[in-house]
């Protein structure tokens, strides 16, 4: 087996994405022309805040990925034409590394192989040496299997699936698999080796049996326009799953995009470092056993039970929009289930080794359960967090078992009034807690105005709301603010600027004075506030 490069620990990943305040520039490849051999790329940086995408140098050290793998000599390609009962190396030539047995095409050596054509009931198998890098160019390939997976990497050091620019490709597996042995394939695109997907072409994956794309090693999505529909998980990388660029659309019967190594320390992490990921999942949208980091790009979870879930969740840049039937962002699970009981006003909740850290980017949550939930601590030091939380009082827009520290950025957390968590005593940025006498309907404008009548914040509710916790640099500790409902507002993701014409006063609040928390977590910033 290959020797592994070092893998990203939580601390190393945090340093790489500039959690200490330093910016790291990055350029991520969108694909490489095999004809010219020239690398093309696009800048991939955070949309909000100071943190930027993890550099490719850092990724090269901590994953199998190497941008040099996406360049090659076109003259060295072996072209294979796929056809029912007639697959062959193209041009009348032969290759010792390509064998055809019925409708099974097997590749047994390192090199670059260009596949085109179709198999209505066949399979492509990579069975190369443990030190071999095998590059498969899909250039208009359509492969379906009625007995198992149509594309299997049995052995290699690394397999690269390169989607030729301007081509449409498809993989579709059986609804049941003949091979049910240990390490038997269980995905339409299945790899026992490190797997990289690149190129600017299109790929449709139908995982009718179980998963869509699965690597039993590391997985890097460097580019591609890929649509996946899976009976179980959409995209799985065991040791890690990384999105650098491209557009990935996932519909999954279980989890959408995840890394699930729960046995090897430091593995089981997910990094979204650019590109576009859209997930509709019956269970978790994006999930990591260890650390889930969004550093750049656009991540959208349109449907899920829990939107983002991991032991440690880091939002350092990019745009993340999450819709969930239960918790929107949930720091739980992972390798730690023990911790001290949190005293104080939250009372009685176990504080484990779980964290949510927001240092940049834009995070928008629409949750039926808890909005932003940590079974440990949470911190917000930059970026923007907007939570449209639950309408029932059994959950809260914010739910933190330990301390919620707000030291920067902008937070607007709206929801029901039954389980309100507010910034804790370690917070250095002030905020206000608004508790309305009665619930206001979706689409209501809630505004805060200072003593001079200047609107410092305007929030438009997405659903019925009775509580709003707001913190930003515009709020001055100890200052009194008037709360208004109604008026007009110009907002993005629900937050923006407003005017008080037609608005009604709903009372006043004092910045930094929070009522006792009515659920687990913070609320330790002092007493006061009261109902409107």
């Amino acid at each position: 087996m290959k020797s592994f490069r070092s893998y990203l620990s939580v601390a190393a990943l945090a340093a790489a994405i500039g959690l200490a305040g330093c910016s790291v520039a990055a350029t991520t490849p969108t694909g490489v022309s095999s004809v010219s051999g020239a690398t093309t790329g696009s800048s991939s940086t955070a949309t909000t805040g100071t943190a930027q995408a993890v550099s490719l140098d850092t990724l090269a050290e901590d994953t199998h990925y190497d941008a040099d793998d996406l360049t090659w000599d076109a003259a060295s390609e072996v072209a294979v034409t796929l056809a029912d009962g007639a697959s062959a190396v193209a041009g009348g030539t032969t290759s010792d590394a390509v064998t055809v047995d019925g409708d099974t095409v097997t590749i047994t050596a390192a090199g670059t192989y260009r596949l085109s054509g179709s198999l209505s009931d066949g399979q492509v198998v990579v069975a190369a040496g443990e030190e071999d890098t095998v590059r498969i160019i899909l250039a208009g390939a359509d492969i379906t299997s009625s007995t198992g997976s149509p594309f299997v990497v049995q052995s290699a050091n690394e397999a690269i699936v390169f989607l030729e620019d301007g081509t449409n490709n498809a993989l579709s597996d059986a609804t049941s698999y003949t091979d049910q042995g240990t390490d038997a394939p269980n995905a339409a695109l299945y790899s026992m080796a490190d797997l990289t997907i690149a190129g600017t072409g299109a790929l449709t994956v139908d995982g009718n049996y179980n998963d869509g794309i699965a690597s039993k090693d590391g997985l890097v999505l460097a580019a591609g326009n890929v649509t996946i529909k899976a009976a179980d998980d959409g995209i799985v990388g065991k040791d890690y799953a990384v999105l650098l660029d491209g557009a990935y659309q996932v519909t999954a019967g279980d989890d959408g995009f995840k890394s699930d190594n729960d046995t090897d320390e430091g593995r089981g992490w997910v990094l979204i470092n650019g590109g576009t990921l859209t997930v509709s999942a019956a269970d978790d949208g994006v999930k990591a056993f260890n650390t889930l980091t969004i550093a750049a790009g656009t991540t959208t979870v349109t449907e899920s039970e829990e939107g983002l879930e991991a032991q440690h969740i880091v939002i350092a840049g990019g745009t993340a929009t999450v819709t969930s039937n239960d918790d929107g962002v949930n720091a739980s699970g992972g390798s730690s289930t023990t911790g001290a009981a949190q005293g104080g006003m939250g009372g009685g909740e176990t504080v484990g080794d779980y964290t949510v850290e927001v240092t940049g980017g834009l995070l928008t949550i629409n949750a039926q359960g808890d909005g932003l939930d940590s079974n440990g601590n949470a911190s917000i030091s930059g970026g923007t967090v907007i939570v449209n939380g639950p309408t029932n009082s059994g959950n809260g827009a914010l739910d933190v078992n330990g301390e919620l520290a707000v030291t920067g950025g902008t937070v607007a957390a709206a929801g029901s009034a039954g389980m309100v968590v507010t910034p804790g005593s370690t917070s250095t940025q002030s905020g206000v807690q608004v508790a309305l006498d009665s619930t206001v309907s979706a689409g209501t404008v809630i505004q805060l105005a200072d003593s001079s009548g200047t609107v410092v914040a305007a929030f438009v509710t997405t659903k019925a709301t009775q509580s709003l916790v707001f913190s930003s640099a515009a709020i001055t500790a100890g200052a009194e603010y008037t709360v208004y409902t109604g008026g007009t507002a110009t907002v993005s993701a629900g937050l923006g600027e407003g005017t008080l014409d037609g608005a009604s006063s709903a009372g006043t609040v004092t910045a930094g004075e929070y009522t006792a928390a009515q659920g687990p977590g913070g609320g330790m910033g002092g007493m006061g506030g009261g109902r409107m």
Side-chain angles (χ1 to χ4, degrees):
M1 191 65 181
K2 76 176 181 66
S3 60
F4 286 93
R5 294 184 174 93
S6 62
Y7 286 78
L8 280 174
S9 65
V10 174
L13 185 58
I17 58 180
L19 297 187
C22 59
S23 297
V24 183
T27 301
T28 57
T30 57
V32 179
S33 168
S34 63
V35 176
S36 65
T39 302
T40 61
S42 60
S43 178
S44 192
T45 59
T47 59
T48 307
T50 59
Q52 291 183 320
V54 179
S55 71
L56 291 187
D57 288 341
T58 299
L59 286 172
E61 289 296 321
D62 295 305
T63 72
H64 68 272
Y65 179 73
D66 188 339
D68 289 344
D69 289 342
L70 304 185
T71 61
W72 63 89
D73 181 2
S76 67
E77 294 177 8
V78 177
V80 179
T81 301
L82 305 176
D84 292 340
S87 297
V89 175
T93 61
T94 60
S95 171
D96 293 337
V98 179
T99 60
V100 178
D101 182 6
D103 284 321
T104 298
V105 177
T106 303
I107 297 168
T108 58
T112 300
Y113 304 85
R114 176 181 293 270
L115 273 57
S116 61
S118 64
L119 291 172
S120 62
D121 187 8
Q123 186 179 61
V124 171
V125 177
V126 175
E130 297 294 337
E131 300 301 321
D132 289 345
T133 296
V134 179
R135 187 181 298 105
I136 306 291
I137 304 169
L138 297 183
D142 188 337
I143 310 169
T144 298
S145 173
S146 67
T147 57
S149 170
F151 196 111
V152 177
V153 180
Q154 292 180 349
S155 59
N157 181 25
E158 177 187 359
I160 302 163
V161 175
F162 189 92
L163 308 175
E164 180 76 356
D165 184 30
T167 66
N168 294 310
N169 305 276
L171 300 172
S172 181
D173 67 357
T175 55
S176 62
Y177 280 24
T178 302
D179 185 356
Q180 296 289 326
T182 302
D183 289 330
N186 66 348
L189 174 49
Y190 180 86
S191 178
M192 290 293 294
D194 285 329
L195 177 65
T196 300
I197 298 177
T200 57
L203 173 65
T204 299
V205 178
D206 288 328
N208 300 301
Y209 170 65
N210 195 62
D211 298 341
I213 297 174
S215 169
K216 292 299 183 179
D217 217 323
L219 173 65
V220 173
L221 308 177
N225 186 350
V226 181
T227 301
I228 299 160
K229 185 176 181 180
D232 194 56
D233 299 330
I235 302 174
V236 183
K238 186 174 180 61
D239 290 339
Y240 50 82
V242 178
L243 174 62
L244 298 181
D245 208 343
Y248 284 74
Q249 300 85 34
V250 180
T251 302
D254 195 37
D255 300 330
F257 181 63
K258 74 176 185 180
S259 177
D260 61 359
N261 189 331
D262 59 0
T263 57
D264 297 324
E265 185 176 358
R267 300 184 187 173
W269 53 270
V270 168
L271 170 63
I272 298 173
N273 201 47
T276 301
L277 174 66
T278 303
V279 173
S280 174
D283 198 1
D284 298 331
V286 183
K287 183 175 184 176
F289 176 79
N290 189 336
T291 301
L292 189 168
T293 301
I294 298 177
T298 300
T299 303
T300 304
V301 178
T302 62
E303 183 178 1
S304 66
E305 283 302 304
E306 296 190 324
L308 309 179
E309 183 173 89
Q311 182 181 356
H312 302 285
I313 298 172
V314 179
I315 309 295
T319 299
T321 305
V322 176
T323 301
S324 66
N325 294 324
D326 197 358
D327 298 342
V329 171
N330 186 32
S332 67
S335 59
S336 175
T337 56
T338 62
Q342 173 71 22
M345 298 176 185
E349 292 293 327
T350 299
V351 181
D353 181 20
Y354 307 104
T355 57
V356 176
E357 297 179 74
V358 181
T359 65
L362 171 62
L363 171 62
T364 305
I365 300 168
N366 186 334
Q368 298 299 323
D370 296 323
L372 189 153
D373 184 358
S374 174
N375 288 348
N377 297 311
S379 64
I380 300 169
S381 60
T384 300
V385 177
I386 300 171
V387 181
N388 301 286
T391 57
N392 70 80
S393 293
N395 294 287
L398 302 171
D399 182 9
V400 180
N401 288 10
E403 178 82 351
L404 171 60
V406 180
T407 60
T410 299
V411 183
S416 57
M419 293 282 287
V420 177
V421 169
T422 57
S425 58
T426 60
S427 299
T428 58
Q429 178 172 281
S430 194
V432 298
Q433 178 184 356
V434 175
L436 300 171
D437 281 335
S438 60
T439 300
V440 297
S441 60
T444 300
V445 180
I446 301 175
Q447 304 192 62
L448 296 172
D450 62 19
S451 58
S452 68
T454 300
V455 175
V456 297
F459 178 80
V460 178
T461 62
T462 296
K463 58 182 77 169
T465 299
Q466 193 174 2
S467 171
L468 174 66
V469 174
F470 180 81
S471 176
S472 81
I475 301 297
T476 301
E480 187 174 89
Y481 295 88
T482 302
V483 179
Y484 292 89
T485 58
T488 59
T490 302
V491 299
S492 175
L495 192 62
E497 299 179 349
T499 59
L500 299 177
D501 293 342
S504 300
S505 173
T508 61
V509 291
T510 301
E513 295 186 359
Y514 304 115
T515 61
Q518 297 166 317
M524 304 176 192
M527 301 296 293
R531 284 196 173 273
M532 299 297 103

